[in-house]
Amino acid sequence: MHKLLVDDPGKQLLLLGNEAIARGAIEAGVGFAASYPGTPSSEISLNLFQMSKESDLYYEYSINEKVSMEVTAAAANSGVRSLCIMKHVGLNVAADVLMTLAYIGVTGGMVILTADDPFMFSSQNEQDNRYYGKLAGLAVLEPSTVEEAKEMMTYAFDLSEELGEPVIFRTTTRINHSNAFVSFSEMKERKTKGEFIKDPMRCVTVPAVARGLHVKLLENLKKAEEIADKSELNRRSGKGSLGIICNGVSYGYVADGLKDLGITDKAEVLRIGFSNPLPKALVADFLKDKDRVLIVEEGEPFMEEAVKATAQENGLTLPIMGKSDELFSRLYEYDPSTVRGCIAKAFDIDYTESEVVDLTDVPEIPNRPPNLCAGCSHRAVFYEVNKAAKDMEMDIICPSDIGCYTLGFLPPLSTGDFVVCMGASSGTAAGFSTVNDKKVVSFVGDSTFFHSGISGLMNAVFNNHNFTYVILDNRITAMTGHQPNPGVDMEEMNFQGYNKIDIEEVVKALGVKHISVIKPFNSRKSIASIKEALDYKGVSVIIAKERCTLYAKSVKKLKGKPFQIVEDKCLNHRDCINELACPAFYLENDAVKINADMCVGCSICAQVCPENAILPVKTKE
Amino acid sequence: MGTTRLIIVAVGGQGNLLASKVLGEAALLSDLPVRMSEIHGMAQRGGVVESALVFGDAESSIISDGEADVLVSFEPSEALRALNKCNIKTKVITSLSPVQPFTVAIGRGIYPEIDTMKKLLDEKTGGLISFDAVELAEKAGTVMSVNMVLLGALIQTGILPIPAENVKTAIQTTTKKAFVDINIKAFDLGFEAAQNAS
């Protein structure tokens, strides 16, 4: 049995934050869940997917966040407790649903989990999604620890049902990807079937209905504030005339910082776990006997602005500090020493930091930037596109998309000139090709194509744009840890009850007139096909089909044998390294070698080598 | 109860996250509170993987620059790169077998001399334990047990209030069955190596 399905209250396990959240949802009796995978939330989805295979829980990998919120909203409006999971930028995709779903509300509990990523460990921006709570008029909850993330799930579902509204559950990477001991609680009974009761005056948002619904939403928001004022999630600790208001992981840094500074008896802490709407009465009561207050929150001054407004409304004039040039930044994530330092500065506390190591005479250490894996087919395609364009003396612009293949922007491949968000490489290709005289070749992965790349392609066909769209079909959603997508053969993965969508058929049906399917590890043929596509005026699509190497390795479907460099043939041109930059190459006494443990035998370097000096390693009989 | 802060650094694929998990499970067996934080995602694509483990009486799960009590590195240049996490009292344990960064192969960086690295690590911190963990891992049965070798060395120092027996139990419950014997042997070899080194 899946470890998170075990009904054993009191059992203690070391869990990843994302596992704790998935367990919390199970304890809350969640019956329906959907998501499009995105780091740092991916393991929540993975665990729910696994559990759905051994229980009556319904879970689906939806094709994008908007769809996942739609399916979830319908389940929740049929009385089933439902969870929708996404990374922060996923909520932008789903925002259209979110904004009006807030008007409609829900009849069964619905929780929308957004995993924010301060410092952008694996994201394109570090937007603060608490503002979505404010924008949509929905309650926002924020756990401070892994254990609390589990506990808060039941609270979130209860709150959602009490308000009749979805609840936003906001985590950050340091919750999702931290581990701690977590104790299991009772599991509520799981209800997976409900009944949709028709109620057009609530559920059909034509203007006349929506006007009334907005009134209801504002009433709900007022009710939410009353609940927040009394919520156990907003708690005070300690005593003193100095005050700290904090949220999320910052709470831990504050608690440790006050101890380190020896001022636990001088400061009172208000930990906000229910952060939208701000519990104004509670905050006003907290502020009234303080000399100075410091707000500690990563990201934007979300609480700070609301706290300052509350002080003004209550005629309080004490200094309220937070984001400024001298104290906290709006950039990146915080850490214990930053928080301790700002507390000391804000409250004029003397503190000597521990003596750090002098790094001035430490030599520069060569970096390890993330690189496409040895034997990754994306590398082959990028090389081949560059080669084809070079042969045709064509200068190309390469919009790219979100996935492993974004790494192609690094030299020497340099096939990524513009990356903005999921699916954008088809839309941006259209704009670039219209106003530039250069050929545009854009790249997208299979999962990202289904997610939203397909819309831009449809647009390009209709508006008769002129570019080549390369779909890097590696048969899996690779970047986030090998999740399925509609192009994947689920039966091959031993999952029944799914259909499969063929990308070539889709592209054909969209009206693309020039389609080629290439096998990237056959370099000569691929380059010839790419040249034809580049030559075509209009939208041409290239589908590069080759399984993700990392995935093939994990399911033991790698067939290739490692290659080696034959020393007496190699003239040290280094085309292999310089054109491909495969991480399996290394230098030994200035000669190029191939790490046989890493090489998977894709053979692309052997096809690049002008001396034919790269040959398979001979296996001894 | 005091607090002990441990940073583990490795190159993607060296098994840092598994080592952290084993230590976490061993802490659970030892009734020692622990909060762990890890940065992965790009891990399998050759980047640096860093775990922070905060044992004892603390709420934070990450470790600021200069605040690690112990640094364990699976690769010498990564130990040097992580020196910003250390202070003059930090104990450093590192393997000496290099994993050449790819940037060196394409001429964008020079890999530092092992002796230079050893000297710097030793001089700037509260002491260095270094040995070739790859050699010991191979002796145990597979190069993949480098992580367990270094766990052995860490436990030998006694910096963490976790008995070796609990780590071995955690190895049995956490690592793949086929590798348990090798992993325990690797742990013992690392333990001995640290004994001989100090």
Side-chain angles (χ1 to χ4, degrees):
Chain A
M1 188 190 257
H2 194 286
K3 69 175 177 185
L4 302 179
L5 275 176
V6 177
D7 189 11
D8 186 5
K11 185 183 167 81
Q12 209 181 31
L13 285 181
L14 180 70
L15 293 185
L16 185 67
N18 281 340
E19 294 174 324
I21 290 165
R23 169 69 188 185
I26 293 294
E27 289 181 0
V30 74
F32 188 103
S35 62
Y36 182 82
T39 313
S41 75
S42 310
E43 297 85 0
I44 307 173
S45 308
L46 174 69
N47 280 286
L48 290 169
F49 176 61
Q50 289 167 343
M51 286 190 273
S52 74
K53 298 300 168 202
E54 37 182 292
S55 71
D56 60 346
L57 167 72
Y58 179 82
Y59 172 82
E60 73 169 45
Y61 280 116
S62 305
I63 62 130
N64 66 32
E65 294 86 353
K66 177 174 182 286
V67 173
S68 82
M69 194 178 288
E70 289 157 355
V71 297
T72 312
N77 268 294
S78 307
V80 173
R81 285 198 160 187
S82 302
L83 175 66
C84 180
I85 306 127
M86 59 200 71
K87 69 181 290 168
H88 61 330
V89 287
L91 199 47
N92 301 334
V93 180
D96 205 7
V97 192
L98 180 80
M99 295 305 297
T100 308
L101 179 63
Y103 280 35
I104 295 176
V106 290
T107 54
M110 173 166 170
V111 175
I112 296 161
L113 187 136
T114 158
D116 291 12
D117 190 17
F119 194 68
M120 299 164 274
F121 289 103
S122 48
S123 304
Q124 64 269 44
N125 75 25
E126 55 177 351
Q127 67 185 49
D128 185 335
N129 272 6
R130 292 177 296 173
Y131 282 102
Y132 269 116
K134 199 159 238 179
L135 189 63
L138 295 177
V140 178
L141 305 184
E142 300 178 72
S144 289
T145 64
V146 168
E147 308 91 289
E148 193 184 24
K150 193 213 74 170
E151 298 301 326
M152 222 181 239
M153 262 293 155
T154 296
Y155 185 99
F157 278 102
D158 290 347
L159 177 66
S160 168
E161 283 170 7
E162 190 176 350
L163 293 171
E165 294 283 1
V167 165
I168 296 175
F169 193 104
R170 186 228 187 200
T171 61
T172 55
T173 304
R174 294 299 185 178
I175 295 286
N176 301 98
H177 285 172
S178 283
N179 287 272
F181 303 153
V182 176
S183 295
F184 283 5
S185 308
E186 303 270 349
M187 283 163 56
K188 278 213 174 81
E189 197 184 334
R190 183 165 46 246
K191 192 175 110 180
T192 57
K193 287 285 170 198
E195 193 188 357
F196 174 59
I197 314 234
K198 293 186 184 184
D199 184 2
M201 296 311 282
R202 182 179 71 84
C203 299
V204 182
T205 52
V206 294
V209 175
R211 283 181 203 115
L213 294 179
H214 197 185
V215 175
K216 182 191 72 169
L217 175 63
L218 296 186
E219 284 165 2
N220 279 341
L221 203 54
K222 199 178 274 179
K223 191 172 156 194
E225 189 183 318
E226 285 163 16
I227 298 171
D229 270 325
K230 294 183 184 67
S231 172
E232 68 201 44
L233 302 185
N234 298 325
R235 51 172 187 258
R236 298 166 72 155
S237 56
K239 247 186 5 202
S241 61
L242 303 171
I244 291 180
I245 301 178
C246 57
N247 71 327
V249 289
S250 300
Y251 171 73
Y253 310 152
V254 166
D256 289 346
L258 292 177
K259 240 189 291 169
D260 292 345
L261 295 169
I263 54 165
T264 45
D265 56 337
K266 294 191 181 71
E268 185 181 1
V269 176
L270 172 58
R271 198 299 301 262
I272 300 286
F274 188 151
S275 60
N276 191 66
L278 186 79
K280 282 188 182 170
L282 175 67
V283 168
D285 189 65
F286 180 82
L287 295 178
K288 73 172 194 280
D289 59 352
K290 298 289 179 296
D291 294 334
R292 272 183 277 183
V293 165
L294 179 67
I295 319 280
V296 189
E297 57 184 326
E298 289 175 333
E300 301 299 323
F302 180 83
M303 292 196 299
E304 184 182 336
E305 286 168 356
V307 168
K308 283 175 174 169
T310 305
Q312 203 275 341
E313 285 163 17
N314 286 275
L316 299 166
T317 55
L318 74 162
I320 297 172
M321 299 163 281
K323 310 278 174 185
S324 69
D325 290 344
E326 293 74 35
L327 293 169
F328 287 111
S329 170
R330 287 163 62 180
L331 299 171
Y332 316 141
E333 66 167 1
Y334 294 172
D335 64 273
S337 116
T338 304
V339 169
R340 185 175 57 221
C342 286
I343 295 174
K345 200 180 245 178
F347 296 155
D348 299 316
I349 312 286
D350 281 334
Y351 183 75
T352 323
E353 294 285 336
S354 54
E355 202 174 335
V356 295
V357 167
D358 170 24
L359 298 173
T360 46
D361 59 342
V362 173
E364 202 178 326
I365 302 139
N367 281 325
R368 296 184 197 271
N371 192 351
L372 295 169
C373 304
C376 173
S377 60
H378 301 334
R379 176 180 293 105
V381 178
F382 293 147
Y383 161 75
E384 287 153 4
V385 166
N386 281 332
K387 181 82 172 75
K390 199 173 157 197
D391 287 355
M392 296 168 80
E393 294 179 358
M394 218 179 227
D395 202 3
I396 54 174
I397 299 175
C398 297
S400 191
D401 226 303
I402 309 277
C404 296
Y405 51 91
T406 315
L407 294 171
F409 89 101
L410 292 167
L413 300 166
S414 307
T415 42
D417 299 319
F418 197 84
V419 175
V420 55
C421 66
M422 286 289 289
S425 65
S426 46
T428 53
F432 282 123
S433 61
T434 303
V435 301
N436 290 275
D437 287 331
K438 289 178 184 170
K439 182 76 192 180
V440 174
V441 184
S442 63
F443 298 96
V444 69
D446 46 347
S447 190
T448 307
F449 174 69
F450 287 115
H451 177 283
S452 50
I454 193 170
S455 320
L457 181 60
M458 229 182 302
N459 175 71
V461 172
F462 171 62
N463 286 305
N464 198 25
H465 282 289
N466 176 24
F467 63 86
T468 299
Y469 191 48
V470 184
I471 304 175
L472 301 159
D473 182 10
N474 66 352
R475 328 293 302 136
I476 203 84
T477 311
M479 185 66 153
T480 45
H482 300 134
Q483 291 84 358
N485 69 54
V488 165
D489 184 350
M490 294 294 273
E491 278 190 22
E492 192 194 74
M493 298 171 90
N494 289 323
F495 298 122
Q496 317 302 321
Y498 294 87
N499 294 308
K500 182 171 172 261
I501 302 175
D502 186 84
I503 293 179
E504 191 182 348
E505 295 295 325
V506 170
V507 173
K508 222 178 260 174
L510 292 181
V512 176
K513 296 285 182 272
H514 195 287
I515 305 169
S516 28
V517 179
I518 62 169
K519 289 195 172 300
F521 294 147
N522 186 333
S523 195
R524 193 175 306 163
K525 272 194 183 169
S526 296
I527 292 169
S529 297
I530 293 166
K531 283 181 179 169
E532 278 175 31
L534 294 184
D535 213 27
Y536 181 79
K537 298 279 174 291
V539 178
S540 56
V541 169
I542 296 168
I543 303 167
K545 266 196 167 157
E546 184 61 56
R547 212 191 276 269
C548 164
T549 304
L550 200 56
Y551 181 65
K553 199 183 272 181
S554 72
V555 294
K556 307 211 162 25
K557 290 219 165 153
L558 264 189
K559 293 189 203 98
K561 295 268 182 297
F563 278 61
Q564 62 182 342
I565 292 173
V566 181
E567 268 177 48
D568 44 2
K569 282 192 174 184
C570 174
L571 298 180
N572 225 355
H573 281 105
R574 297 199 185 170
D575 286 6
C576 50
I577 285 192
N578 295 337
E579 306 261 351
L580 298 171
C582 173
F585 295 123
Y586 65 99
L587 296 179
E588 202 174 86
N589 303 324
D590 213 35
V592 182
K593 301 270 176 188
I594 294 175
N595 180 338
D597 291 334
M598 285 175 89
C599 176
V600 299
C602 79
S603 81
I604 202 76
C605 58
Q607 298 172 58
V608 168
C609 177
E611 268 80 45
N612 291 323
I614 306 180
L615 295 171
V617 176
K618 281 188 197 123
T619 40
K620 282 174 197 155
E621 292 299 323
Chain B
M1 192 189 303
T3 307
T4 308
R5 295 182 170 84
L6 162 67
I7 295 272
I8 306 181
V9 288
V11 177
Q14 284 191 311
N16 178 348
L17 300 183
L18 182 62
S20 306
K21 194 165 162 48
V22 167
L23 264 188
E25 296 288 351
L28 183 61
L29 293 171
S30 315
D31 284 324
L32 176 66
V34 63
R35 295 187 176 280
M36 304 162 31
S37 178
E38 53 202 40
I39 287 305
H40 46 102
M42 289 288 193
Q44 286 173 302
R45 288 151 188 91
V48 183
V49 187
E50 182 186 298
S51 310
L53 295 91
V54 183
F55 297 91
D57 193 15
E59 300 279 343
S60 308
S61 70
I62 60 173
I63 299 170
S64 298
D65 285 0
E67 300 198 341
D69 298 300
V70 199
L71 167 68
V72 173
S73 175
F74 295 8
E75 203 277 343
S77 75
E78 290 313 320
L80 204 58
R81 199 195 306 277
L83 260 184
N84 64 315
K85 290 288 175 194
C86 301
N87 57 55
I88 51 171
K89 290 184 194 151
T90 307
K91 192 92 187 161
V92 179
I93 303 168
T94 186
S95 170
L96 292 176
S97 340
V99 178
Q100 200 188 70
F102 179 69
T103 42
V104 173
I106 55 172
R108 284 195 287 135
I110 297 163
Y111 194 85
E113 294 287 330
I114 298 282
D115 287 339
T116 315
M117 292 195 281
K118 267 176 81 171
K119 189 161 168 274
L120 284 165
L121 288 168
D122 192 32
E123 279 173 5
K124 289 182 180 290
T125 65
L128 172 70
I129 296 176
S130 63
F131 53 88
D132 185 344
V134 167
E135 191 189 313
L136 296 180
E138 277 168 351
K139 200 169 151 193
T142 167
V143 66
M144 281 157 68
S145 63
V146 161
N147 51 358
M148 300 298 138
V149 173
L150 284 148
L151 279 192
L154 169 67
I155 295 301
Q156 192 279 331
T157 63
I159 297 170
L160 294 178
I162 299 178
E165 283 320 303
N166 285 353
V167 180
K168 288 184 184 177
T169 308
I171 290 174
Q172 274 162 357
T173 56
T174 312
T175 71
K176 281 191 185 136
K177 284 215 164 52
F179 291 102
V180 165
D181 291 341
I182 292 174
N183 282 337
I184 287 182
K185 192 168 172 203
F187 177 88
D188 285 336
L189 288 171
F191 196 96
E192 276 171 38
Q195 233 158 6
N196 299 335
S198 50

